[in-house]
Amino acid sequence: LWVGIVDVPGHERFVRNMVAGASGVDAVCLVVAADDGVMPQTREHLQIAELLGVRSGVVALNKIDLVDADGRELAVDDVRRFLKGSFLQDAPILPVSTVSGEGLEALREALLDAARKAPLKDLSGVFRLPIQRVFAAQGFGPLVTGIPFGGRVHLEERLEILPAGLPSRVRGIQAYGEAAESAEAGHSVALNLADVSHRQVARGDVVAAPGFLTPTRVLEIRTRVLPGFPKSLEGVVPVRLHVGTAEVLGMASPVDRRRIDPGEEGIVEVRLEAPVVAAAGDHAILRWQSPMRTLGGGRILALTGLRRGRLKGRDLQNLEAAESAAADPA
């Protein structure tokens, strides 16, 4: 069993990196320090994971060597209260210490169990890889890394780099650090690309099978505004859209109602300053531009490219039909 682990930063200043890193994961290990307890960014991280569609995981209560028995019990109770109502409310809370080694073996077993229970990826779809990192290796050319969202890729296969539309070819593949003939959705992948320079490729771009995906500046998202957000989503709101590994500035507005209150959901049209590459059914996160705070998120219904404002009956019916079809890859 191959298990890839993505370590995302916990500090609130790096939530944008956390969102990019968490896209594509199947389960989470939420780490809470026993001496600090639940922090504000812990709450935001958990909310983002839920908005990205993660539905399972474990909790590591770290640094238990820094608290006594009563402190440990209080920390466990604090975490359990915090998790109530979330997708981790029934997850195991595992006290661990990286100093003494206590609990680490139980944590390993819990992580393996979570990995074994992760749903299998759909390999019948179009291959697409949101790029996490880009770098150049002398004598090899550009290398890109990430977790494919769908499909398979093979050596010498023709691909395109979006949104620029640059044609490329797969010169080499590594999966989990080892040379491979092919890679597939869910793998931790590095691709060596031919016919392009590493300066033409950036994090947030997508490497995909050619002819299927079209960049867009306007998309519609079934959005849930987080219950703890201090205001409703109404009018036109400046946001940062996170989808895959991309982060783009834009404006968001409800199109099926006048406003969406905290804890409620509705359809939001997002108009972007730069094109993004995504597909119907992808999870997206909306963050307030300033101050930077997660507003909500959900699943993309359509990428129409049309600026329409408030939608009427037939338009809404079309979006709802697209939403119901999102579970069917064909």
Side-chain angles (χ1 to χ4, degrees):
L1 177 65
W2 283 100
V3 179
I5 296 178
V6 182
D7 179 20
V8 301
H11 198 283
E12 59 187 342
R13 285 184 299 175
F14 301 109
V15 168
R16 58 190 293 186
N17 292 17
M18 177 268 167
V19 177
S23 64
V25 303
D26 299 302
V28 300
C29 176
L30 184 71
V31 183
V32 179
D35 58 332
D36 286 334
V38 174
M39 305 292 283
Q41 61 266 31
T42 312
R43 188 176 306 278
E44 190 169 18
H45 279 48
L46 185 64
Q47 291 170 333
I48 289 170
E50 191 153 15
L51 291 171
L52 288 173
V54 183
R55 292 294 177 265
S56 65
V58 301
V59 181
L61 184 65
N62 194 23
K63 300 185 181 181
I64 57 170
D65 51 287
L66 297 182
V67 296
D68 57 19
D70 289 340
R72 180 189 300 198
E73 191 173 325
L74 286 171
V76 170
D77 290 343
D78 179 42
V79 172
R80 186 59 75 195
R81 283 195 302 272
F82 163 67
L83 296 175
K84 188 174 181 181
S86 77
F87 70 94
L88 289 180
Q89 67 175 3
D90 298 320
I93 299 175
L94 303 163
V96 296
S97 167
T98 56
V99 174
S100 68
E102 181 184 349
L104 291 181
E105 190 56 40
L107 177 59
R108 289 189 189 98
E109 288 301 317
L111 290 172
L112 277 171
D113 186 55
R116 291 189 184 102
K117 292 177 180 176
L120 295 176
K121 298 289 188 182
D122 177 23
L123 304 182
S124 64
V126 173
F127 176 79
R128 53 194 180 108
L129 170 73
I131 295 174
Q132 285 270 9
R133 294 173 58 223
V134 182
F135 54 96
Q138 191 169 3
F140 288 93
L143 292 155
V144 300
T145 69
I147 302 172
F149 274 15
R152 281 191 176 97
V153 66
H154 300 85
L155 284 173
E156 299 303 321
E157 191 167 330
R158 302 299 304 185
L159 299 174
E160 64 178 340
I161 301 163
L162 298 166
L166 301 172
S168 185
R169 175 176 54 85
V170 181
R171 185 155 54 185
I173 299 174
Q174 281 195 347
Y176 297 103
E178 296 187 356
E181 296 288 318
S182 65
E184 60 190 41
H187 283 178
S188 178
V189 174
L191 299 181
N192 181 203
L193 301 177
D195 306 327
V196 292
S197 161
H198 73 279
R199 294 182 180 87
Q200 296 175 286
V201 189
R203 171 176 167 161
D205 289 351
V206 175
V207 182
F212 288 97
L213 300 173
T214 303
T216 185
R217 289 175 184 261
V218 183
L219 61 167
E220 291 80 27
I221 305 171
R222 170 76 70 183
T223 301
R224 178 173 177 262
V225 176
L226 292 175
F229 199 73
K231 56 179 76 174
S232 300
L233 174 56
E234 63 179 316
V236 181
V237 174
V239 296
R240 294 173 183 267
L241 172 78
H242 297 261
V243 60
T245 56
E247 176 189 3
V248 185
L249 297 178
M251 308 299 288
S253 56
V255 292
D256 64 337
R257 66 195 65 196
R258 190 173 65 83
R259 70 180 191 188
I260 307 173
D261 293 324
E264 296 182 350
E265 68 173 41
I267 300 175
V268 172
E269 180 181 271
V270 182
R271 303 185 293 277
L272 300 170
E273 294 182 4
V276 296
V277 180
D282 285 357
H283 294 275
I285 302 294
L286 294 175
R287 302 191 76 221
W288 205 263
Q289 273 194 32
S290 182
M292 282 193 290
R293 179 172 175 177
T294 303
L295 184 159
R299 303 191 79 174
I300 296 173
L301 303 185
L303 301 95
T304 61
L306 303 173
R307 296 181 58 173
R308 295 179 296 188
R310 191 70 62 85
L311 299 182
K312 300 297 189 291
R314 181 170 291 278
D315 290 326
L316 288 174
Q317 288 174 10
N318 289 339
L319 281 181
E320 287 165 359
E323 183 175 18
S324 65
D328 181 352

